[in-house]
Amino acid sequence: MKDNRIHLYCMPGMAASPTIFEYLNLPQDKFMLHFLEWIIPTKGISFTDYAKKMSGEINEDNVVLLGVSLGGLLVQEMTKYIQVKKVIIVSSVKTRHELPKRMLFARYTSIHKLLPTRLINNVELVAKYAFGESITKRLSLYEKYLSIRDKNYIDWCIHELVNWNQEVPCDKLVHIHGEKDTVFPINHISNCIRVKNGTHTMIIHRAKWFNENLPTIILE
């Protein structure tokens, strides 16, 4: 019997594991969820070549890609190598023009190379980079979601983020963004579905909104 379900591939943000999607619950008769994971990049690999490698993890045609934060940039790059039905980015940016000024400043000064990534085993520091918030009260929670503690990986992620050169949004793109996102402030973002009180971690904390709205967003 032919499976007519839509295959949704989900890519987490920097240093995060697929557990950030644990509260997604879409109708199983219509959608099949797949969870991608970050692979430690080989030395010198470009973001584009990394996206090509990650595209090899897609096993169906005409899938929907969903990426959170840096994962949102990655799924957009993946569309250069595979045919997609739709691309959904969450808490992310569509072009380099939506990056906040501090990241554009880092692009031209390389100041991001001075960040203390050698302290990567400090989960609170990783969370500040990845989620844009202090996690003192929820440390054990974020230890579950932040799975990668590799300094070279974090350095690579930050470099590729601040140097992303996409000028125009890719085709078939839907952008979902929280009004209280501190990593990518909403005032830099255009043409998006705004989530009231949504933060950079809303894929975790506002899962009910996604469960209620993603099916329609995917199917329309």
Side-chain angles (χ1 to χ4, degrees), residues 41-97:
T42 55
K43 187 174 181 179
I45 192 171
S46 68
F47 200 53
T48 300
D49 285 343
Y50 186 93
K52 183 178 182 179
K53 181 177 181 179
M54 189 62 71
S55 297
E57 300 294 314
I58 308 299
N59 300 313
E60 296 80 21
D61 297 323
N62 208 33
V63 301
V64 176
L65 299 178
L66 183 152
V68 175
S69 193
L70 184 64
L73 277 61
L74 183 63
V75 296
Q76 292 176 74
E77 292 290 333
M78 290 168 64
T79 64
K80 298 174 181 177
Y81 304 103
I82 57 174
Q83 293 290 323
V84 298
K85 177 182 177 68
K86 189 167 290 187
V87 181
I88 301 170
I89 63 172
V90 177
S91 308
S92 190
V93 296
K94 298 183 287 295
T95 72
R96 69 182 184 89
H97 304 292

Side-chain angles (χ1 to χ4, degrees), residues 4-73:
N4 292 316
R5 291 179 295 177
I6 294 173
H7 292 268
L8 174 64
Y9 279 81
C10 303
M11 186 73 209
M14 183 181 76
S17 74
T19 55
I20 67 168
F21 302 112
E22 65 180 339
Y23 299 118
L24 281 188
N25 184 19
L26 305 185
Q28 295 182 9
D29 60 328
K30 295 181 179 179
F31 305 99
M32 179 70 177
L33 271 62
H34 307 265
F35 303 108
L36 299 170
E37 297 188 56
W38 289 100
I39 303 166
I40 301 300
T42 55
K43 187 174 181 179
I45 192 171
S46 68
F47 200 53
T48 300
D49 285 343
Y50 186 93
K52 183 178 182 179
K53 181 177 181 179
M54 189 62 71
S55 297
E57 300 294 314
I58 308 299
N59 300 313
E60 296 80 21
D61 297 323
N62 208 33
V63 301
V64 176
L65 299 178
L66 183 152
V68 175
S69 193
L70 184 64
L73 277 61

Side-chain angles (χ1 to χ4, degrees), residues 94 98 174-175 189-193:
K94 298 183 287 295
E98 292 187 335
V174 177
H175 188 172
I189 306 297
S190 61
N191 300 321
C192 69
I193 298 171

Side-chain angles (χ1 to χ4, degrees), residues 140-152:
S140 60
L141 174 69
Y142 283 124
E143 283 181 330
K144 176 176 72 170
Y145 294 129
L146 293 167
S147 61
I148 303 178
R149 301 281 192 278
D150 185 280
K151 178 188 183 302
N152 292 328

Side-chain angles (χ1 to χ4, degrees), residues 96-160:
R96 69 182 184 89
H97 304 292
E98 292 187 335
L99 292 170
K101 290 181 179 179
R102 68 181 184 279
M103 292 185 187
L104 295 176
F105 178 74
R107 175 201 298 259
Y108 295 113
T109 64
S110 295
I111 196 170
H112 59 286
K113 294 181 180 180
L114 301 179
L115 291 171
T117 53
R118 65 186 181 280
L119 303 177
I120 210 62
N121 285 321
N122 181 331
V123 68
E124 188 167 359
L125 182 66
V126 181
K128 191 68 176 176
Y129 289 166
F131 291 159
E133 58 185 69
S134 175
I135 61 161
T136 304
K137 295 180 180 178
R138 293 184 285 188
L139 188 59
S140 60
L141 174 69
Y142 283 124
E143 283 181 330
K144 176 176 72 170
Y145 294 129
L146 293 167
S147 61
I148 303 178
R149 301 281 192 278
D150 185 280
K151 178 188 183 302
N152 292 328
Y153 162 80
I154 298 294
D155 287 341
W156 179 83
C157 285
I158 295 171
H159 176 79
E160 296 301 332

